[in-house]
Amino acid sequence: MNVEPIKKETLTEQIMNQLADKITSGEIQPGERLPDERSLAAMFGVTRSRIREALRALSLVGLIHIRPGGGSFAAERSGQLPREAILWSFHREIENYEDLYAARRLIETVVHTSCFDCKTDEVVARLAEFAEELLALDIIEVPNEEFSDLIDRIDTYVGENCGNGIYSKLMQTMIILRHESALKILDIPASRQSAILWRVKILKSFGQEDRSQLETTLDGFFTSSVEQLPE
């Protein structure tokens, strides 16, 4: 029988989780002032020092801003999603690679096909340039971070040009969540070669008129990627 180890959460982590959920769900709006430490301590039934620790941690991951003498405020939304906030929000799920890739397949497929549906000559030309950059990589010598950064820039561009702001933010989220698993896969030379070949096929599909070709290529890419997931 397979079971997952029980994770013990400290009081501070429990407070962080509840406040983070309220912020990320929109129950606490961007820019909204949180209750003061004394009030939060009473709500949670803990000491003010516990509240202070939780607020400091939430500040470090970018979910709140603490103004000395002025209280704590939910962070304003911006075009670029805060990396640490996303990692914190998904910290329980991020090592479940099968679930991560299921989410990637769903979200990245719809982002790419949406970009295809509203593509312009400029977008097609830029994606062709990205394909040439991939083909020019030395798969043996290129550092993992440099390789991963190029792939991230490609997918960020696709997200920014898919015609849907929500899809773009979802792509940003996937790029952040997949980072560590992608680096592990890129440690294997054969996986690097496979990543280049599939990515180039995806990018070149934008130069065709057949949308189904892109969908088929994306499906093949994710099926191949799942087979290379780290144990």
Side-chain angles (χ1 to χ4, degrees):
M1 179 174 67
N2 294 324
V3 299
E4 293 186 8
I6 299 298
K7 296 181 180 178
K8 295 181 179 179
E9 288 187 325
T10 66
L11 287 174
T12 300
E13 289 173 330
Q14 292 179 57
I15 296 165
M16 289 177 65
N17 282 332
Q18 288 199 46
L19 291 176
D21 286 345
K22 292 181 182 301
I23 293 170
T24 55
S25 69
E27 182 176 341
I28 298 177
Q29 291 293 308
E32 182 178 342
R33 189 180 190 277
L34 277 66
D36 60 35
E37 291 181 4
R38 186 183 303 277
S39 298
L40 286 171
M43 292 177 190
F44 284 102
V46 298
T47 63
R48 290 179 65 181
S49 63
R50 289 286 188 181
I51 296 297
R52 197 171 297 118
E53 288 176 3
L55 293 176
R56 187 179 299 116
L58 290 172
S59 175
L60 289 174
V61 299
L63 280 177
I64 68 170
H65 296 303
I66 299 175
R67 301 175 188 171
S72 302
F73 297 80
E76 297 283 354
R77 295 192 181 99
S78 63
Q80 191 66 32
L81 300 178
R83 174 183 175 84
E84 287 76 12
I86 290 174
L87 292 176
W88 171 256
S89 297
F90 291 92
H91 72 279
R92 296 186 187 87
E93 299 86 5
I94 198 168
E95 292 185 3
N96 187 328
Y97 294 130
E98 290 187 5
D99 284 358
L100 177 59
Y101 265 77
R104 283 193 58 189
R105 182 192 290 265
L106 178 67
I107 293 169
E108 294 181 29
T109 295
V110 75
V111 173
H112 277 77
T113 52
S114 294
C115 183
F116 183 94
D117 290 340
C118 64
K119 65 183 178 178
T120 63
D121 290 343
E122 180 182 353
V123 168
V124 172
R126 183 68 185 105
L127 294 181
E129 291 174 1
F130 277 130
E132 294 305 315
E133 288 186 54
L134 283 170
L135 290 171
L137 289 177
D138 184 328
I139 63 171
I140 302 299
E141 299 297 331
V142 63
N144 283 358
E145 285 286 357
E146 183 178 332
F147 196 158
S148 178
D149 179 66
L150 175 55
I151 292 173
D152 290 351
R153 286 192 286 115
I154 293 170
D155 282 352
T156 297
Y157 182 84
V158 171
E160 291 173 344
N161 290 276
C162 74
N164 186 310
I166 294 177
Y167 288 172
S168 179
K169 288 185 181 296
L170 287 173
M171 179 64 95
Q172 288 182 42
T173 300
M174 285 296 103
I175 288 171
I176 292 170
L177 294 179
R178 76 190 188 191
H179 183 71
E180 291 303 320
S181 62
L183 291 180
K184 290 180 181 179
I185 290 175
L186 292 176
D187 271 333
I188 307 169
S191 295
R192 290 178 168 216
Q193 183 66 50
S194 176
I196 289 175
L197 292 177
W198 279 112
R199 288 280 179 174
V200 169
K201 287 181 67 175
I202 290 169
L203 295 175
K204 290 190 173 182
S205 295
F206 280 84
Q208 308 298 319
E209 295 303 320
D210 187 359
R211 187 180 193 267
S212 64
Q213 180 179 334
L214 172 61
E215 293 173 335
T216 299
T217 304
L218 286 164
D219 183 66
F221 165 68
F222 281 110
T223 299
S224 173
S225 297
V226 168
E227 293 171 354
Q228 301 172 50
L229 287 177
E231 298 293 336

